[in-house]
Amino acid sequence: MSDTPVIGVLALQGDVREHLIALASADALARPVRRPEELAEVDGLVVPGGESTTMSKLAVLFGMLEPLRERVAAEMPVYGTCAGMILLADKILDPSPSSQLRSSRGYPISGQETIGGIDMIVRRNAFGRQNESFEAAVDVAGIEGGPVEGVFIRAPWVESVGARAQVVAEHGGHIVGVRQGNALATSFHPELTGDHRLHAYFVDMVRASG
């Protein structure tokens, strides 16, 4: 791998353009990824924010889900934001009352597949609906220069992590950032702020992976 790694952004749905810009500003060669053959050509991948159920269904439709699972299991560096965090979780909880029993047992939501890769349980839309979106300063372990500005839009939080996962950020008493090996996930959108330190951190993760 050269000093300019090739990093893809899963381009099935969501805020793809913003991640491509942020990665390019962090000295990566950024490109959209929609097909398995494009996935095979990248050194790392960003799974963007968007609508996690739609993204999971499109991943199945485009024949991407199993290749994604295989690359992540093989320790390809991956970074998920908001919906991307949900898709990188091993288990999902649904906040809706109709799913209360299923959620209490930590079962995945009906119809939603995940890529997995991080030993965590994530609750969807935990911070509220679209009109309850907010911004907040978040301290992230490993990021120098002070807190990053986190944009929380229908954001999830992490209910719990397993022994292999490391909590790297919290807000309001909830886990909003997790790293496990070459996998990183945040509840918030750093790509929407103009502060690209988290993307630079991920680019360094890709470089370090060799």
Side-chain angles (χ1 to χ4, degrees), residues 72-87:
V72 171
E75 300 189 352
M76 173 189 69
V78 62
Y79 174 31
T81 62
C82 197
M85 168 182 265
I86 295 169
L87 291 175

Side-chain angles (χ1 to χ4, degrees), residues 1 10 12 14 16 31 51 79 98 104 128 136-137 149 152 168 175 183 199:
M1 184 191 307
L10 186 63
L12 302 177
V16 175
R31 58 178 60 167
E51 212 299 308
Y79 174 31
S98 62
S104 69
E149 193 68 17
F152 293 78
V168 297
I175 301 168
H199 288 80

Side-chain angles (χ1 to χ4, degrees), residues 9 31 36 44 59 66 70 97 118-119 127 135 146 148 173 195:
V9 179
R31 58 178 60 167
E66 288 307 320
E70 290 170 5
I118 299 182
D119 186 8
F127 282 105
E135 296 186 25
V148 302
D195 181 349

